[in-house]
Amino acid sequence: MLFDLTDLRLFIHIAELKSLTRSAERMHMSLAAASNRVKELETRFGTRLLYRENKGVQLSPAGETLLAHAQQFMQQVERLKSEMQQYNNGIKGHIRIFANTTAVTEFMPEVLGRFLSRHPQVNVALEERLNQDILRGIQEGTADIGIVAGPVTGAGLEVINFSTDRLVLATALDHPLAGAGTVEFAQTLDYQHIGLHEGSTLQHFLNRMASESGQRLQLRIQVRGFEAMCRMVENNVGVAILPHSSALRLSRGMKLALVELREPWAVRERSVVVQKLDALPLYARELVDFICNSQEQEGGVAPSALT
């Protein structure tokens, strides 16, 4: 054998963490043992797999090839284990999800609450990622399910649209833009914005839209979630752009004006992304069904009716 499963798991961790030390810790082995395993792999394959640098390690071209096959191989192993769960109730399943900000903070907690109550032997890892990182994770096999908003570009992916939402502007009731029926994004750039944290998919997108228009967002403060964002807006700290479904829910308990954004990109398709739906374990396919049948689809009401 050129390798075993431990070798492959270790190598995948090294590629992800860019650190032999941290990878050894994650695998619960000594640094010397991890280093020896990599050296043995290089000897068996007859080529260098890693470049050791001061700031960590980088994969060689041969290492990139090994990584791609290792990820596919480990995916198949996990699928085999998952399929066998149907015959052994003592084995737990695991689903790794990469999702955007809205999914992580808004509708996935409710979806997962219902799903996990029906599947107590399944564990889920839900991680907030940028759209491009979500798609890359699905393509590379580091995530089982991706949840994105907006256009999806990527070869070899199955895309399942499950709802449509749109971005709206939220302001305090006495804000100059509060009475506008619709506004252009450029009009909002004259005002201080309440933004989400830097790792947010939505914040990354809005920063890019502002940059492409030759301007920049005036960020007064950045917060961790939509509720905190709307609390700031309610108190006239600034304006904010967020999904209509979230704004609608929060406006029921806050004094907010919701104004429609007159931009083609404001309407966004929400999609589940997978490599191949039929290849997922049965319980993972059921989770996709839970997401697609979720009731968190309130984006069809006109914002002007809610101001």
Side-chain angles (χ1 to χ4, degrees), residues 100-107 149 163-170 196 200-203 205-206 225-227 229-230 240-251 256 258-259 261 265-268 270 296 298-301 303 306:
N100 65 2
T101 306
T102 306
V104 171
T105 61
E106 292 295 306
F107 60 88
S163 72
T164 301
D165 203 353
R166 64 185 178 279
L167 298 175
V168 297
L169 179 73
L196 291 174
S200 158
T201 306
L202 177 58
Q203 194 58 50
F205 173 78
L206 293 174
F226 293 130
E227 183 172 359
M229 174 185 280
C230 288
I241 293 174
L242 69 161
H244 175 255
S245 57
S246 304
L248 173 61
R249 176 178 61 82
L250 292 166
S251 68
L256 301 174
L258 305 183
V259 184
L261 273 177
W265 47 257
V267 178
R268 308 195 304 168
R270 289 175 176 166
E296 293 289 333
E298 303 180 49
V301 181
L306 304 168

Side-chain angles (χ1 to χ4, degrees), residues 34-210:
S35 181
N36 286 336
R37 280 185 175 271
V38 173
K39 289 177 182 177
E40 288 177 9
L41 280 175
E42 290 178 328
T43 300
R44 290 168 185 167
F45 285 113
T47 186
R48 179 184 290 274
L49 300 174
L50 299 176
Y51 296 121
R52 279 79 170 175
E53 301 176 351
N54 291 334
K55 295 182 178 181
V57 296
Q58 295 292 331
L59 301 189
S60 69
E64 294 285 358
T65 299
L66 175 59
L67 174 64
H69 286 283
Q71 289 170 332
Q72 293 175 10
F73 189 89
M74 292 308 300
Q75 247 190 335
Q76 292 297 325
V77 171
E78 290 303 315
R79 286 171 184 163
L80 172 61
K81 288 167 58 179
S82 298
E83 292 297 332
M84 294 305 293
Q85 284 179 38
Q86 299 175 62
Y87 310 103
N88 185 344
N89 291 329
I91 301 176
K92 288 187 176 181
H94 184 78
I95 306 172
R96 192 175 188 190
I97 305 170
F98 287 175
N100 65 2
T101 306
T102 306
V104 171
T105 61
E106 292 295 306
F107 60 88
M108 282 305 291
E110 180 179 342
V111 170
L112 289 176
R114 291 188 287 112
F115 173 79
L116 292 174
S117 68
R118 291 181 54 175
H119 297 274
Q121 294 173 319
V122 176
N123 293 328
V124 174
L126 176 62
E127 300 180 24
E128 182 179 344
R129 298 291 183 97
L130 298 177
N131 266 14
Q132 64 266 31
D133 295 331
I134 295 170
L135 299 178
R136 186 182 306 115
I138 299 300
Q139 287 176 319
E140 294 177 351
T142 55
D144 304 298
I145 298 172
I147 305 174
V148 299
V152 177
T153 55
L157 298 177
E158 287 191 27
V159 181
I160 306 159
N161 298 126
F162 66 92
S163 72
T164 301
D165 203 353
R166 64 185 178 279
L167 298 175
V168 297
L169 179 73
T171 75
L173 294 179
D174 59 350
H175 191 276
L177 295 179
T182 63
V183 295
E184 294 182 354
F185 180 55
Q187 293 175 261
T188 75
L189 299 179
D190 294 332
Y191 300 93
Q192 297 279 355
H193 275 245
I194 310 301
L196 291 174
H197 58 95
E198 287 299 335
S200 158
T201 306
L202 177 58
Q203 194 58 50
H204 184 267
F205 173 78
L206 293 174
N207 289 341
R208 181 164 61 85
M209 291 298 99

Side-chain angles (χ1 to χ4, degrees), residues 205-236:
F205 173 78
L206 293 174
N207 289 341
R208 181 164 61 85
M209 291 298 99
S211 178
E212 289 180 2
S213 70
Q215 301 184 68
R216 61 187 296 272
L217 284 176
Q218 302 180 56
L219 287 175
R220 186 81 179 275
I221 189 171
Q222 290 179 267
V223 295
R224 292 295 303 182
F226 293 130
E227 183 172 359
M229 174 185 280
C230 288
R231 290 292 180 199
M232 294 291 179
V233 171
E234 183 182 30
N235 287 282
N236 232 336

